[in-house]
Amino acid sequence: MKRLIHSLSLALLAGVLMAAAGAVANDEKVIRAAFIEFPPLATRNDNGQPEGSFIRMTEQVAQRAGYSIQWQELPIGRVYLYLEQGEIDLWPGSAGVPELAGFTRETPFSAGSIQLNAYSRNDTGAIESLEELRGKRLILIRGYTYFRLLDELKADPDTYVTIAPDHASAIRMLAFRRGDYLINFQAPMDATLARTPLPGLVQTNLLSWPLGFIFSTAAPGTETMIREFSRAWSELQAEGMAGLSDG
């Protein structure tokens, strides 16, 4: 009888401990975050798990702030929609995007920057600004908004635009003279060129754009998350963590 009571007591204790552990897990602060394919800053590894320098930085800041991250990969249009609807809490991405201003808040610090470049063959005349792309044959990457800076060029009847499905295809199009200038971001371009180099490639920087942590104002706890991310960032910066740069 005593043995039975002892066994029942152990089983009851185990149940209590499991329930307590479940309560702690359920109370864990989780941030629903999205990323777009932007290697090597944000991508998926061979096992389908998110990885990249911006992914790691976000997780490091979130952990210091007391959060864990629940990632999902989305196309950029869906990221904007989910931020507006509060379906995600956070997008680590381009700061200062005008069309996001009405339904997002950003952390007051910059997490780094990305470079937008024009790439051309060495037998094509060099350019120095976005304005000089008017009337040229351009190759753009599907899924990138280019901060809406190229919308006027895309609508210009004198500017011929080809949309490449990915970075490698865009490089091949440039090599086969399907366009004069490939407009792409330096980080994914460098990663692609490391696998498929194009000799004689000329690179011209068009602009630098800041990166940040963009939170949805429609999601619960936005102000708290921004405040805690800012505290965590200050602590990590004091410990020597550097911002991101693809330049």
Side-chain angles (χ1 to χ4, degrees):
M1 186 68 169
K2 290 182 178 179
R3 182 175 299 174
L4 176 60
I5 293 174
H6 180 68
S7 299
L8 290 173
S9 298
L10 289 177
L12 179 61
L13 177 61
V16 171
L17 291 174
M18 290 177 64
V24 171
N26 290 335
D27 289 340
E28 182 182 29
K29 296 186 293 184
V30 177
I31 290 178
R32 303 164 300 163
F35 70 95
I36 65 170
E37 175 71 12
F38 198 91
L41 275 67
T43 185
R44 288 188 182 275
N45 60 25
D46 293 339
N47 296 321
Q49 297 302 310
E51 69 171 12
S53 54
F54 209 178
I55 297 289
R56 292 189 296 272
M57 172 185 282
T58 304
E59 291 178 341
Q60 188 176 3
V61 176
Q63 183 179 26
R64 178 62 66 93
Y67 296 88
S68 63
I69 300 288
Q70 183 181 70
W71 291 107
Q72 59 177 312
E73 181 182 356
L74 296 172
I76 190 63
R78 192 69 58 84
V79 169
Y80 290 4
L81 178 63
Y82 281 15
L83 284 170
E84 183 176 13
Q85 296 177 341
E87 294 294 325
I88 58 174
D89 305 305
L90 168 67
W91 174 47
S94 305
V97 177
E99 60 195 287
L100 299 182
F103 48 86
T104 62
R105 282 284 311 282
E106 299 177 9
T107 48
F109 57 86
S110 172
S113 63
I114 52 176
Q115 314 303 315
L116 182 64
N117 300 329
Y119 298 88
S120 60
R121 300 176 304 276
N122 56 11
D123 59 353
T124 304
I127 62 160
E128 297 181 357
S129 66
L130 287 167
E131 290 73 19
E132 294 181 52
L133 294 174
R134 189 175 298 277
K136 304 297 193 300
R137 299 186 306 151
L138 308 181
I139 301 170
L140 307 182
I141 309 296
R142 178 178 298 158
Y144 286 173
T145 66
Y146 296 95
F147 318 118
R148 304 300 180 191
L149 296 174
L150 302 182
D151 285 1
E152 288 188 13
L153 291 176
K154 291 164 69 174
D156 178 18
D158 295 325
T159 304
Y160 181 78
V161 175
T162 299
I163 305 297
D166 52 49
H167 303 283
S169 298
I171 292 173
R172 288 194 294 271
M173 288 179 179
L174 185 64
F176 290 123
R177 302 179 182 276
R178 293 279 303 278
D180 301 316
Y181 300 95
L182 165 57
I183 313 303
N184 202 359
F185 295 95
Q186 186 164 332
M189 189 70 172
D190 285 351
T192 307
L193 286 171
R195 300 189 302 270
T196 56
L198 179 59
L201 191 66
V202 177
Q203 171 184 317
T204 301
N205 179 250
L206 298 174
L207 59 87
S208 177
W209 197 276
L211 295 171
F213 297 106
I214 294 88
F215 288 89
S216 168
T217 56
T222 296
E223 295 301 326
T224 299
M225 287 186 283
I226 290 175
R227 184 169 60 252
E228 293 179 346
F229 259 57
S230 298
R231 171 188 57 79
W233 179 265
S234 296
E235 293 176 1
L236 291 168
Q237 287 281 286
E239 295 172 10
M241 185 181 73
L244 296 171
S245 176
D246 65 352

